[in-house]
Amino acid sequence: VQLQASGGGVVQPGGSLRLSCAASGSSSNLYVIGWFRQAPGKEREGVSCIDFSDGKTYYPDSVKGRFTLSRDKAINTVYLEMNSLKSEDTAVYYCATTISPAPCQVLITPAGPYGMDVWGKGTQVTVSS
């Protein structure tokens, strides 16, 4: 499976952006897809995860209520809607998936990035006035 992320850009504080992550290749058995971000000098952290079969989503407290993750099963694509963006949301955002079933609740914890098997290229999100 390959992942293609898109949708980053520059936005003012309080603004919104939507990121997309399209899966291709051997994507018939997608289990979970997560979004992660990494700011300069910081560890990569999970910002959302979706169980691709039932659509259940998970978020850390840092983005809960501002970020919404959804999926389109027909085209193997997930969308991360980011609202009320803050300067601290500035980072490179990556989508990632696993090659076997994995619990989203764990994948959005600090250890989460180590549980992902396939990563897409990052897309830069800059929140600045």
Side-chain angles (χ1 to χ4, degrees):
V1 61
Q2 295 84 43
L3 300 177
Q4 179 68 48
S6 61
V10 180
V11 63
Q12 292 187 339
S16 300
L17 276 177
R18 189 177 82 155
L19 306 183
S20 300
C21 178
S24 61
S26 303
S27 55
S28 58
N29 287 319
L30 286 172
Y31 299 104
V32 298
I33 292 184
W35 278 98
F36 300 80
R37 67 186 180 189
Q38 189 164 21
K42 293 191 176 181
E43 295 286 323
R44 192 169 294 190
E45 62 173 349
V47 296
S48 63
C49 184
I50 189 166
D51 184 314
F52 210 75
S53 62
D54 63 14
K56 195 168 182 181
T57 53
Y58 301 81
Y59 309 91
D61 290 342
S62 58
V63 305
K64 199 172 290 183
R66 300 189 298 122
F67 289 13
T68 303
L69 186 57
S70 60
R71 80 196 188 309
D72 185 333
K73 292 181 74 173
I75 56 173
N76 290 331
T77 298
V78 299
Y79 304 98
L80 182 65
E81 187 75 36
M82 305 186 294
N83 298 314
S84 302
L85 284 163
K86 307 174 183 179
S87 57
E88 51 261 46
D89 295 317
T90 294
V92 178
Y93 283 69
Y94 302 86
C95 58
T97 190
T98 59
I99 58 174
S100 59
C104 269
Q105 302 95 313
V106 175
L107 298 177
I108 60 169
T109 67
Y114 300 99
M116 310 308 288
D117 300 306
V118 178
W119 291 84
K121 283 188 176 181
T123 184
Q124 177 71 46
V125 171
T126 302
V127 184
S128 173
S129 55

